[in-house]
Amino acid sequence: MTTKLIVGLDGAEPGERALDHAKHLSKLIGDCTIELVYIIEWSPYSFQTPEENAMRHKRNEQETKTATERVISPALATLKAEGFKANGRVLHGDAAELLNKVATKEKAQQIIVARSKESGFAAKLFGSVTAKLVMSAGVPVTVVN
Amino acid sequence: MQNKQMVSCAIISIISFFHSSAAFAEGSIDETVNEIFASATGWFVNLIFAPLPGTSFPWIVLWLVTGATVFTIYFGFIQFRAIRHSIDLVKGDYSDPDDAGEVSHFQALATALSGTVGLGNIAGVAVAVSIGGPGATFWMVLAGLMGMASKFTECTLGVKYRNEYADGTVSGGPMYYISKGFKERGVPGGRFLAGLFAVFCILGALGGGNMFQANQAHAQISSIVGDYPGWITGIIFALVVFAVIVGGIKSIASVTEKIVPIMGVLYVSAALIIILMNADKVGWAFEQIFLGAFTGLGVAGGFVGALIQGFKRAAFSNEAGVGSAAIAHSAVRTKEPITEGLVSLLEPFIDTVVICTMTALVIIITGQLTSDPATGLYLVGESGRIITADGSSGVALTSAAFSSAISWFPYVLAVAVVMFAFSTMISWSYYGLKAWTYLFGEGKTTELVFKLMFCVFVVIGAAANLGPVIDFSDAAIFAMAVANIIGLYFLMPIVKKELNSYMSRLKSGEIKKFND
């Protein structure tokens, strides 16, 4: 049975670090699939104007398309060129919650994320995705520094 | 050609407005605006509020109540038997995780509420109890409960018959369900009725959704900083509205959308605190409400006067049967239109049964309405309103009631009123725009004409006196209900079919909760 690693991408440098670590692990494991996940932060409980609601579906499609084109597709192309087995997806919602959900659904062995360089105050105020994930995940989590 | 006509219409209205401004040198700007406005809209107000022959009961109030009663009975008291499921839907228990990123039930409800919760709940209720006495509260709550069925019907249809465009955007509302639904059922006159609704919706957007808001926001600000001409508030408001709806400055709108719910919670909390502070008077207040509901307790028109005021204010506040919420709710992409109807029925409950009742209780409990200690009847002044403790009316009366218990609350209320007024204007600018584009077609120029006209009416609303503005606002909103409820009568069998199918699938377990 193939080992599955979930990698949280953010379209920036921390995501790259997480992916590098996943590649390293994948080589050590051998039969391994890397599942790339890009999450667009979204809450069903936010407040919007009627116009924003009317445009929401269009924006949803645009956001998914942009994230796929800019983050997931290039990463998948590189991984496949380097001989790795990989899949990718773009989701809307709470990052920590969704990473854990995907890991459970895919029966993954591990979630790999990287610590972002969020300032202490912002992290304290809003709570970091990594901290939330470590506290709530149902599978082992590796946080790359 | 159409565009040309519209542009010239808008130019004429702007010119006539500024032409009237030229007369300001002679007298005060506000007085001139008020006179012109009252004489221009009087006939329309009289037509909508014409009493039933031989009575003082406006036919339009009977129209709304009949509609709400018919829908309540036809759908088997849906507002009571499905409320638990409505709450589960809003919580997201039945939302497919694959639909994440789309408009949620909660968002649609919150957006529609920010269009309705506002001055109707603060100023409107004050008007109702100062004319109809405490008894108006009873009829207002009853109308709120019945109105839940009207809202359910119109919002289900709003989603079912909305237009989805190739670019992914949507347009919906009574004008769409009336024209498409009538065609589907083979009923003639759908396009005419839809057009009529759209015309009234534009007037409603300019009246209750705009002028009334600007007017009361000015009243509240001037009660804090001292009296000054209304057109100054009007121009400031118009500029901010212009920045959002024409300039596309989303940050202002999104800040307002976030502050409004906080203000709403703050308002209800303050009301609850005042009610708790006067817990010993709650029993007496309810006694006044029930007694007043059936005897009038000396108000003009007796218990019928209380009933009319209660029903009028409830309809003006929660807009059930008016059709505006159907425009707001139609943005939800759900496979089951009925779920949107079920969610929307919570609006009149939150808006009228909870928030309006809070306002009324605070006004009654804090003793703002003066009565004759000997007879227990309320003292009515020459204007037909109950004489209040400090002579205030409208939002100033609510403000006085809150300040009698919490001295600094008028400042919070002033901010709340401005925020509520602003968010209601933004919502109604969208409703009006949808009606406008339904009539004149989608297009940048068409939209710009409406948006500019909307901004001009902000200034007129802030500068005119309360009387003519409130009359026109009511009339315009109620006129929407004329066309909408006719449409709902013809289309309610479609809603029933949807409801029965949904309920049976829910019962059989075919429709499941996604949240475990």
Side-chain angles (χ1 to χ4, degrees):
Chain A
M1 201 180 100
T2 185
T3 303
K4 283 188 177 175
L5 301 174
I6 306 292
V7 179
L9 293 186
D10 58 359
E13 189 270 333
E16 294 298 319
R17 273 187 284 138
L19 186 55
D20 284 344
H21 185 68
K23 285 200 269 189
H24 176 66
L25 283 183
S26 177
K27 278 179 194 161
L28 294 175
I29 294 165
D31 185 10
C32 181
T33 306
I34 298 173
E35 296 282 342
L36 302 177
V37 184
Y38 181 90
I39 291 156
I40 300 161
E41 278 291 339
W42 174 85
S43 165
Y45 306 112
S46 63
F47 296 97
Q48 307 199 109
T49 62
E51 202 160 5
E52 283 172 329
N53 283 350
M55 302 288 286
R56 188 60 228 162
H57 178 65
K58 187 182 171 187
R59 202 154 289 162
N60 184 11
E61 285 181 335
Q62 273 171 351
E63 286 166 353
T64 309
K65 189 168 170 259
T66 310
T68 307
E69 283 173 2
R70 292 195 188 160
V71 183
I72 296 293
S73 298
L76 277 180
T78 313
L79 283 173
K80 283 181 180 162
E82 291 171 358
F84 293 99
K85 276 198 281 182
N87 299 307
R89 68 191 85 194
V90 174
L91 300 169
H92 277 84
D94 178 84
E97 210 173 276
L98 284 177
L99 282 170
N100 190 31
K101 229 175 206 173
V102 174
T104 314
K105 195 180 164 197
E106 293 291 336
K107 297 189 175 66
Q109 269 69 34
Q110 200 176 133
I111 300 170
I112 303 165
V113 290
R115 205 176 61 179
S116 73
K117 301 227 162 51
E118 230 169 38
S119 79
F121 179 72
K124 267 196 188 111
L125 193 65
F126 302 110
S128 88
V129 171
T130 334
K132 196 177 165 193
L133 184 65
V134 169
M135 297 297 285
S136 62
V139 297
V141 178
T142 299
V143 181
V144 182
N145 279 321
Chain B
M1 185 63 200
Q2 252 180 0
N3 278 351
K4 267 187 182 173
Q5 275 176 350
M6 276 182 312
V7 173
S8 40
C9 259
I11 291 171
I12 289 166
S13 67
I14 294 167
I15 290 174
S16 60
F17 170 67
F18 286 107
H19 176 257
S20 58
S21 308
F24 299 156
E26 303 271 320
S28 99
I29 294 178
D30 294 6
E31 275 170 27
T32 317
V33 170
N34 200 40
E35 268 171 38
I36 294 170
F37 185 72
S39 61
T41 59
W43 66 271
F44 177 63
V45 173
N46 291 339
L47 180 72
I48 296 294
F49 292 118
L52 290 168
T55 68
S56 61
F57 200 97
W59 67 274
I60 190 74
V61 176
L62 184 69
W63 174 255
L64 274 165
V65 179
T66 308
T69 313
V70 168
F71 303 130
T72 299
I73 296 167
Y74 186 74
F75 293 111
F77 294 85
I78 186 75
Q79 62 268 59
F80 304 115
R81 63 187 173 101
I83 196 158
R84 179 69 199 266
H85 185 61
S86 302
I87 295 166
D88 287 344
L89 286 167
V90 175
K91 276 162 59 194
D93 289 358
Y94 290 88
S95 304
D96 187 343
D98 289 343
D99 290 339
E102 298 290 348
V103 180
S104 66
H105 286 308
F106 176 89
Q107 284 168 330
L109 176 69
T111 305
L113 268 175
S114 72
T116 64
V117 172
L119 288 167
N121 306 69
I122 302 173
V125 175
V127 172
V129 294
S130 64
I131 301 176
T137 316
F138 175 86
W139 299 110
M140 195 169 64
V141 169
L142 188 69
L145 290 172
M146 306 274 272
M148 290 164 80
S150 309
K151 198 81 115 177
F152 159 78
T153 318
E154 63 192 13
C155 290
T156 302
L157 290 168
V159 176
K160 188 170 169 64
Y161 290 105
R162 66 192 177 171
N163 266 11
E164 288 183 50
Y165 301 109
D167 67 356
T169 56
V170 291
S171 282
M175 50 282 186
Y176 293 96
Y177 60 68
I178 292 173
S179 57
K180 287 160 92 173
F182 273 42
K183 199 174 168 190
E184 194 181 292
R185 297 207 66 202
V187 180
R191 285 190 67 179
F192 170 76
L193 196 62
L196 196 66
F197 173 85
V199 170
F200 290 147
C201 182
I202 293 164
L203 293 176
L206 298 174
N210 178 341
M211 297 171 63
F212 176 69
Q213 309 296 326
N215 187 284
Q216 289 291 278
H218 170 70
Q220 182 62 17
I221 297 168
S222 58
S223 74
I224 301 269
V225 302
D227 204 17
Y228 70 97
W231 60 267
I232 297 176
T233 310
I235 285 176
I236 296 168
F237 254 71
L239 287 174
V240 185
V241 171
F242 181 88
V244 175
I245 65 173
V246 182
I249 301 174
K250 296 267 181 288
S251 52
I252 302 174
S254 76
V255 165
T256 315
E257 293 303 316
K258 280 164 191 66
I259 293 175
V260 161
I262 299 170
M263 287 292 173
V265 171
L266 206 66
Y267 182 78
V268 172
S269 309
L272 272 175
I273 291 169
I274 294 172
I275 293 165
L276 287 174
M277 280 163 66
N278 295 283
D280 56 321
K281 287 186 195 154
V282 173
W284 168 81
F286 275 104
E287 193 184 298
Q288 293 291 299
I289 289 171
F290 284 108
L291 266 176
F294 299 101
T295 66
L297 286 175
V299 302
F303 98 92
V304 177
L307 183 143
I308 292 170
Q309 284 306 317
F311 280 156
K312 262 174 86 171
R313 286 301 120 201
F316 186 65
S317 174
N318 66 41
E319 296 163 17
V322 164
S324 53
I327 304 176
H329 278 277
S330 59
V332 175
R333 295 181 80 85
T334 171
K335 294 172 199 89
E336 304 283 354
I338 211 81
T339 56
E340 210 41 45
L342 289 171
V343 166
S344 71
L345 63 76
L346 293 170
E347 278 167 47
F349 186 81
I350 299 170
D351 181 282
T352 310
V353 180
V354 177
I355 306 181
C356 285
T357 308
M358 293 281 173
T359 305
L361 276 176
V362 169
I363 294 172
I364 299 164
I365 281 179
T366 56
Q368 299 303 313
L369 308 172
T370 54
S371 59
D372 180 350
T375 60
L377 298 179
Y378 286 95
L379 298 170
V380 179
E382 279 175 18
S383 62
R385 289 167 190 252
I386 295 172
I387 300 166
T388 54
D390 66 350
S392 57
S393 68
V395 71
L397 175 59
T398 311
S399 187
F402 275 85
S403 71
S404 68
I406 308 171
S407 61
W408 47 267
F409 200 75
Y411 299 102
V412 178
L413 197 63
V415 178
V417 163
V418 172
M419 287 293 171
F420 284 152
F422 185 69
S423 79
T424 305
M425 280 178 184
I426 299 299
S427 294
W428 274 93
S429 73
Y430 178 76
Y431 304 157
L433 182 66
K434 287 287 132 187
W436 184 264
T437 54
Y438 174 81
L439 286 177
F440 302 112
E442 312 266 344
K444 291 250 182 281
T445 321
T446 324
E447 290 187 7
L448 187 65
V449 171
F450 175 77
K451 288 172 176 176
L452 288 175
M453 194 164 72
F454 195 83
C455 292
V456 170
F457 272 78
V458 176
V459 185
I460 303 177
N465 276 352
L466 178 63
V469 169
I470 212 165
D471 288 346
F472 174 71
S473 303
D474 282 355
I477 299 259
F478 287 130
M480 288 167 70
V482 176
N484 186 41
I485 291 180
I486 294 176
L488 295 183
Y489 284 147
F490 280 103
L491 301 175
M492 62 186 188
I494 295 171
V495 179
K496 187 139 194 185
K497 212 172 143 193
E498 293 262 344
L499 178 66
N500 291 343
S501 152
Y502 180 81
M503 285 303 187
S504 66
R505 280 177 293 139
L506 187 68
K507 211 173 171 185
S508 72
E510 195 185 325
I511 295 168
K512 284 192 192 109
K513 280 190 180 185
F514 282 94
N515 280 2
D516 14 82

